[in-house]
Amino acid sequence: MSGSSHTTSLAMVGVSHPHSSARFRSARGLGAEVVGAWDPDDAVLEAFCAEVGTVPAGLDELLASGADGVLVHSKSKDMVSLAERALAAGKAVLVEKPGGGSLADLRRLHDLGSRDGALVRVGYNFHYAPALEWARSVLDRDPIGRVSLARAHGASSSGEHLSSHLNQAADMGGALWVIGCHVIHLMIDLLGRPRAVRATVEKLPGWSDASSREDVAALTFLYDSMIASFDFTVHDNGEWFESSEMTLHGDGGQLTFGVLPARSRLLSLGGVDGLAPGWHDWRESSFVSSWTGDVSGFSDLAQVGNRTFFDRELAEFVEAIHGAPPRGVTTQTALDVALIVAAAYQSAAQDGRSVVLDELE
């Protein structure tokens, strides 16, 4: 972290997202001053301030303050307008994922983030997962050869799909958009943006009522030299992300990794750079905090208990404020995620027809 990071001050703008308390605590843990919090819902704001020990403030007051950066954790539909106001006030901005409620929102956010002098990060905190870092470090040594196929799985925790947070009226989708975006982001991180998407997104009779938007989805990402698949369910028995993982199949082996708990398994048929041919397993220490934390008074979902990814994310944000080279999730990556999800919904509405991302309106 920059030597001047202890002077960094941040403001919370919108706090109804369940990740807001984790990022607040990560900021405090890094030595940043959090000057206050605002939310349009007074009851939500009061509950949040009582939870984390900060003071309520007016939006204009926070934007006019000396805060170096603003953390936006509002409803999805308000994220871009709040980010725009913060940027206009000369602040750096970290916007909670997915960064908005619709493809149009993410296009607007990317436009804002591309302007000279703008510093905008989008809170895809899995970017900082040790398992992803380990997978990247292994793949840099080319142990599995050319990849023709990748497979990924994602899920929301059981019952989460019925929450208001995953069914906001202005959002372009439900759990696939708000939670599935996590693993889609990981796929983009490793594979890049696909050319087109084919998908089915289904409501299954007898599984859930009209209070949630979807039950299961299957997406195929089309690249010029490979395909990748992503399947997603809202009916998962894991606490949060235990079943979420990704496998890359190459002509010289394969690599599988999962985010929580952090784990990976590599098969290298020929071996490379000190790796003998055969299977290699890696697991992070099992002495880790649960992802799910205490019940929240400011969101209908539980707080986050394991702040490992958030701590790393906030450190990068603070370093970037003080001039360090960017390493975080940019608005371009967040836009790519939105393009994929929007293409999936359009493809599903057209019985699985391929949708080219560059042709989306």
Side-chain angles (χ1 to χ4, degrees), residues 127-149:
H127 180 74
Y128 303 91
L132 177 62
E133 293 175 355
W134 192 89
R136 280 202 194 100
S137 70
V138 169
L139 291 171
D140 284 346
R141 300 153 75 179
D142 194 28
I144 65 173
R146 294 180 302 167
V147 174
S148 61
L149 175 69

Side-chain angles (χ1 to χ4, degrees), residues 229-316:
S229 64
F230 172 57
D231 54 69
F232 180 81
T233 177
V234 304
H235 304 290
D236 192 90
N237 289 323
E239 179 189 350
W240 280 84
F241 298 106
E242 289 90 333
S243 68
S244 297
E245 64 179 26
M246 183 175 175
T247 300
L248 282 70
H249 296 269
D251 56 6
Q254 68 185 54
L255 174 70
T256 297
F257 73 94
V259 175
L260 287 172
R263 63 201 184 273
S264 184
R265 194 173 198 213
L266 167 70
L267 168 63
S268 182
L269 298 177
V272 64
D273 290 346
L275 287 173
W279 289 97
H280 301 268
D281 292 290
W282 170 84
R283 287 183 70 89
E284 192 181 26
S285 168
S286 60
F287 296 96
V288 295
S289 301
S290 170
W291 178 262
T292 300
D294 296 335
V295 173
S296 169
F298 52 87
S299 171
D300 58 347
L301 296 181
Q303 301 178 70
V304 172
N306 188 329
R307 298 203 321 265
T308 302
F309 307 161
F310 296 93
D311 289 348
R312 294 180 173 195
E313 179 184 56
L314 261 294
E316 190 279 336

Side-chain angles (χ1 to χ4, degrees), residues 30-285:
L30 288 167
E33 176 192 11
V34 184
V35 299
W38 169 86
D39 194 272
D41 187 317
D42 290 338
V44 165
L45 180 60
E46 180 181 356
F48 175 82
C49 290
E51 173 66 35
V52 301
T54 192
V55 294
L59 177 59
D60 291 338
E61 175 188 355
L62 290 176
L63 295 180
S65 72
D68 302 296
V70 167
L71 309 179
V72 178
H73 289 72
S74 63
K75 301 296 185 186
S76 299
K77 67 180 179 62
D78 299 321
M79 287 177 173
V80 178
S81 61
L82 291 171
E84 184 169 17
R85 289 191 61 178
L87 289 166
K91 314 299 185 186
V93 178
L94 192 159
V95 186
E96 171 56 30
K97 62 85 195 162
S102 66
L103 178 56
D105 283 348
L106 270 297
R107 282 179 164 147
R108 177 61 179 161
L109 186 67
H110 180 53
D111 176 66
L112 294 169
S114 301
R115 295 179 180 179
D116 289 343
L119 173 57
V120 183
R121 295 287 183 271
V122 184
Y124 280 103
N125 60 85
F126 282 11
H127 180 74
Y128 303 91
L132 177 62
E133 293 175 355
W134 192 89
R136 280 202 194 100
S137 70
V138 169
L139 291 171
D140 284 346
R141 300 153 75 179
D142 194 28
I144 65 173
R146 294 180 302 167
V147 174
S148 61
L149 175 69
R151 295 181 298 150
H153 169 75
S156 60
S157 60
S158 182
E160 185 184 23
H161 64 294
L162 301 174
S163 67
S164 62
H165 177 68
L166 268 65
N167 292 282
Q168 298 175 47
D171 282 5
M172 67 173 166
L176 175 62
W177 170 226
V178 181
I179 300 297
C181 62
H182 273 296
V183 177
I184 292 173
H185 154 253
L186 293 179
M187 297 175 74
I188 292 172
D189 250 7
L190 281 182
L191 306 175
R193 193 185 86 169
R195 173 178 51 83
V197 171
R198 298 182 188 135
T200 179
V201 183
E202 298 291 335
K203 283 285 293 181
L204 302 177
W207 278 87
S208 66
D209 60 27
S211 63
S212 69
R213 299 192 186 185
E214 58 246 353
D215 290 306
V216 294
L219 284 61
T220 301
F221 298 8
L222 305 178
Y223 296 87
D224 290 338
S225 60
M226 66 177 168
I227 66 170
S229 64
F230 172 57
D231 54 69
F232 180 81
T233 177
V234 304
H235 304 290
D236 192 90
N237 289 323
E239 179 189 350
W240 280 84
F241 298 106
E242 289 90 333
S243 68
S244 297
E245 64 179 26
M246 183 175 175
T247 300
L248 282 70
H249 296 269
D251 56 6
Q254 68 185 54
L255 174 70
T256 297
F257 73 94
V259 175
L260 287 172
R263 63 201 184 273
S264 184
R265 194 173 198 213
L266 167 70
L267 168 63
S268 182
L269 298 177
V272 64
D273 290 346
L275 287 173
W279 289 97
H280 301 268
D281 292 290
W282 170 84
R283 287 183 70 89
E284 192 181 26
S285 168

